[in-house]
Amino acid sequence: MIPAPSKPPAEDIVPAVELRGITKRFPGVLANHDIDITVGRGTVHAIVGENGAGKSTLMKILYGMQKPDEGTITIAGKQVVLRSPADAIARGIGMVHQHFMLADNLTVLENVVLGAEKLHGIGARARARMAELSDTYGLGVRPDLLVEEIGVADRQRVEILKVLYRGATTLILDEPTAVLVPQEVDALFGNLRELTSEGLTVLFISHKLGEVLTVADAITVIRRGTTISTVVPAGTTSKRLAELMVGSELPTPETRESTVTDVPVLTVEGLRLSGRDADGLPREVLADIDLTIHRGEVLGIAGVEGNGQAELVEAIMGIRQPDGGRIGLEGADISNAPTRARREGGIGYIPEDRHRHGLLLEAPLWENRMLGHVTEPPNSRGPWLTAKAARQDTRRIVEEYDVRTPGIEVTIGSLSGGNQQKLIVGREMSHRPKVLIAAHPTRGVDVGAQAQIWDQIRQARHEGLAVLLISADLDELIGLSDSLRVMYRGRLVADADPATITPEELGTAMTGTATGHLRHEGKDGE
């Protein structure tokens, strides 16, 4: 990882941002209470805390999206009132949100320029400035692709480029590494160091405590909306940070006792899917995918975002229709079955993007509990919906999965991302699926919720659940999986042994480079 450079003594650091006594109330919720934070100019300042601790609300206040009920904001020594994001941008504050704010039907260039047309126009000057920023900071952004055609990691880079394009001097990053492999994380951290060396300030929200300790110059811990402590990385550990956040030690995903049987549950044979590349030419998105998941087995798929993992999941779920191949569920051919039939047949689904495929943000929690399972108890009895029973079961999920919410009637969109994720996991596990398609199941959740989700997967695996696990968290992927496959350019190119492979070796393999702990398949893995 990138070593932290030496910094001037704390008394010599000029504050870029000062938050004093910040308090924010919502109906039934005290999101922030008397928060004090000082962020030094030219530093990386991390904010950590459990889901619902108030981190995102605090950053939205700094970005002008929310107005505090009490407290003051000082930027570059001047006390300010931020009435909108436009006010924040005008004062050099930029924010990259955990859930991307991009228009899928526009190109990358159009998304970057949108709302900032006065800076460099919308033509050649804008393109040149975007290329300059992309090259300078190694973002590798392609301006003419539609956003709907690019993967999650590329969308993250577009969001970062948008902020830089607008001239931000203080950059708020909300979970920026959630979709990156270790090598990409190192590259991002190296870029952040270049920026801070030139006076840029970074506020870094993350649940990955190891990364926080690597990149941050200072770390502020928030618990239940209140500032607990601000520490320096040299004076703390991941274990201590976890204890400050949630009152418990850092969990581990390790699963080494075998529960794998010889009973196949999900089979994929010769799956093919075509698409188009950046130049509009035909390309193979999925090429001859073969895999089998048995009862009691977690099969992990490792790969850099955009190499076909999302399309594989969507093909299995019936969201995309492949060009060829067969998908079987307990011996039955479901290749042409609609998504609903696959769900009713016993496939649970934790989607990669919970906002696109997993939730109705303006609907209350109890209605979201029914999504994908409307025809199943307790949501229905015969042809009739049973709202009362669905509400009751939602309360059970909220309690068992520690979903932080003022009630089940509030909209799911009003909850933090981690609490939204916990509801989805609780919903899917409640129907005791035969196979669980889990795409990034712990993305954006705190260490306590992460441990709980791991425990749920381990317990269900012990009871015979088959799991297809997609994750950008390589420790999670290695720790939970019974077997590992590496996906590269739409092909399964190698097998890895979770008992011997390291995250660094797996990350290298994901970029198409061979390592000694992999068994390679076909010419692309040679």
Side-chain angles (χ1 to χ4, degrees):
M1 301 294 277
I2 304 298
S6 60
K7 287 286 181 181
E11 61 269 16
D12 296 334
I13 294 178
V14 178
V17 174
E18 294 179 272
L19 304 173
R20 291 286 174 265
I22 298 296
T23 297
K24 180 64 180 178
R25 302 177 184 88
F26 297 102
V29 177
L30 182 60
N32 294 145
H33 177 61
D34 199 26
I35 285 184
D36 292 330
I37 297 177
T38 299
V39 182
R41 188 176 66 193
T43 67
V44 177
H45 194 114
I47 310 287
V48 300
E50 19 175 18
N51 296 129
K55 306 182 301 296
S56 293
T57 297
L58 185 66
M59 293 302 99
K60 288 177 181 178
I61 288 172
L62 181 56
Y63 191 52
M65 297 177 68
Q66 302 279 0
K67 186 176 179 180
D69 298 316
E70 300 170 19
T72 62
I73 301 171
T74 301
I75 298 175
K78 182 179 180 181
Q79 188 170 313
V80 299
V81 176
L82 303 176
R83 296 180 176 85
S84 68
D87 285 349
I89 292 168
R91 289 165 175 80
I93 306 292
M95 183 169 182
V96 177
H97 298 269
Q98 180 179 352
H99 298 291
F100 307 139
M101 297 188 175
L102 300 171
D104 285 0
N105 60 336
L106 299 181
T107 66
V108 168
L109 175 63
E110 290 166 341
N111 269 279
V112 171
V113 171
L114 187 64
E117 294 85 355
K118 292 183 179 180
L119 292 178
H120 306 288
I122 59 174
R125 285 194 301 121
R127 183 180 292 272
R129 177 58 177 159
M130 178 176 161
E132 178 186 4
L133 290 169
S134 181
D135 292 343
T136 299
Y137 304 117
L139 298 174
V141 172
R142 294 176 289 178
D144 297 316
L145 287 180
L146 288 174
V147 166
E148 66 183 9
E149 296 174 344
I150 64 178
V152 179
D154 286 330
R155 294 180 187 220
Q156 176 74 270
R157 297 184 183 99
V158 173
E159 288 279 20
I160 293 174
L161 184 61
K162 279 176 58 180
V163 172
L164 295 174
Y165 187 86
R166 285 155 175 76
T169 55
T170 295
L171 183 63
I172 302 169
L173 301 180
D174 193 353
E175 297 286 351
T177 66
V179 297
L180 305 180
V181 300
Q183 291 84 350
E184 294 172 318
V185 172
D186 285 347
L188 172 64
F189 288 175
N191 293 338
L192 294 183
R193 285 301 177 196
E194 292 177 14
L195 295 172
T196 56
S197 69
E198 298 173 4
L200 186 81
T201 303
V202 178
L203 276 159
F204 183 86
I205 301 174
S206 179
H207 292 101
K208 299 181 179 181
L209 301 185
E211 293 180 357
V212 166
L213 290 170
T214 297
V215 73
D217 300 299
I219 306 165
T220 294
V221 180
I222 297 176
R223 186 196 298 167
R224 299 295 176 103
T226 299
T227 311
I228 297 298
S229 179
T230 295
V231 299
V232 295
T236 192
T237 63
S238 294
K239 178 181 177 181
R240 178 58 180 153
L241 285 177
E243 290 171 348
L244 288 172
M245 286 169 54
V246 298
S248 61
E249 295 185 7
L250 192 66
T252 172
E254 283 296 316
T255 301
R256 283 292 168 253
E257 71 284 0
S258 179
T259 60
V260 182
T261 71
D262 59 358
V263 180
V265 180
L266 182 73
T267 56
V268 176
E269 301 171 356
L271 197 67
R272 304 189 313 277
L273 179 66
S274 60
R276 295 189 177 277
D277 63 17
D279 299 317
L281 300 175
R283 71 179 180 92
E284 288 183 314
V285 178
L286 297 174
D288 297 320
I289 299 295
D290 293 316
L291 61 85
T292 300
I293 312 176
H294 302 84
R295 288 193 64 189
E297 178 182 18
V298 177
L299 171 62
I301 302 291
V304 176
E305 297 285 339
N307 275 271
Q309 306 96 301
E311 289 82 1
L312 172 61
V313 167
E314 291 176 2
I316 292 173
M317 292 306 304
I319 298 171
R320 287 178 182 255
Q321 184 61 41
D323 301 318
R326 179 184 182 277
I327 301 171
L329 179 62
E330 291 190 324
D333 189 342
I334 61 169
S335 305
N336 297 311
T339 299
R340 176 176 170 179
R342 301 182 194 210
R343 299 283 261 148
E344 292 175 346
I347 299 182
Y349 180 37
I350 301 173
E352 173 181 350
D353 188 334
R354 52 183 169 261
H355 285 187
R356 297 180 69 191
H357 295 304
L359 298 170
L360 296 174
L361 295 181
E362 298 304 316
L365 268 66
W366 70 270
E367 289 185 9
N368 276 279
R369 184 262 172 272
M370 300 172 73
L371 289 182
H373 303 281
V374 173
T375 61
E376 303 171 52
N379 302 321
S380 65
R381 183 178 295 111
W384 308 107
L385 293 180
T386 52
K388 181 178 179 180
R391 283 185 170 94
Q392 183 177 350
D393 198 60
T394 303
R395 294 187 186 96
R396 176 192 61 80
I397 292 174
V398 165
E399 181 177 352
E400 288 185 10
Y401 287 81
D402 191 28
V403 180
R404 306 285 174 83
T405 175
I408 65 169
E409 300 293 342
V410 301
T411 62
I412 192 75
S414 67
L415 303 188
S416 69
N419 282 304
Q420 294 173 8
Q421 188 74 359
K422 285 188 280 187
L423 184 80
I424 291 175
V425 174
R427 176 183 71 196
E428 296 306 308
M429 299 300 283
S430 293
H431 289 274
R432 301 183 66 83
K434 299 171 183 175
V435 59
L436 177 67
I437 310 299
H440 309 280
T442 64
R443 175 177 286 170
V445 305
D446 62 55
V447 291
Q450 188 178 52
Q452 187 174 21
I453 292 171
W454 289 340
D455 285 342
Q456 291 288 340
I457 291 176
R458 281 189 287 246
Q459 179 60 33
R461 163 184 173 270
H462 181 74
E463 296 171 0
L465 178 69
V467 181
L468 177 65
L469 176 64
I470 312 286
S471 180
D473 184 334
L474 300 190
D475 288 318
E476 173 178 85
L477 201 60
I478 292 170
L480 287 181
S481 297
D482 296 291
S483 52
L484 274 172
R485 309 285 294 277
V486 178
M487 198 165 196
Y488 182 67
R489 294 183 179 177
R491 295 178 181 272
L492 294 175
V493 298
D495 294 343
D497 183 353
T500 58
I501 194 81
T502 67
E504 291 72 23
E505 290 169 336
L506 189 57
T508 298
M510 289 160 57
T511 64
T513 305
T515 76
H517 285 91
L518 294 166
R519 181 174 63 81
H520 299 282
E521 305 172 8
K523 63 180 180 180
D524 290 293
E526 293 176 355

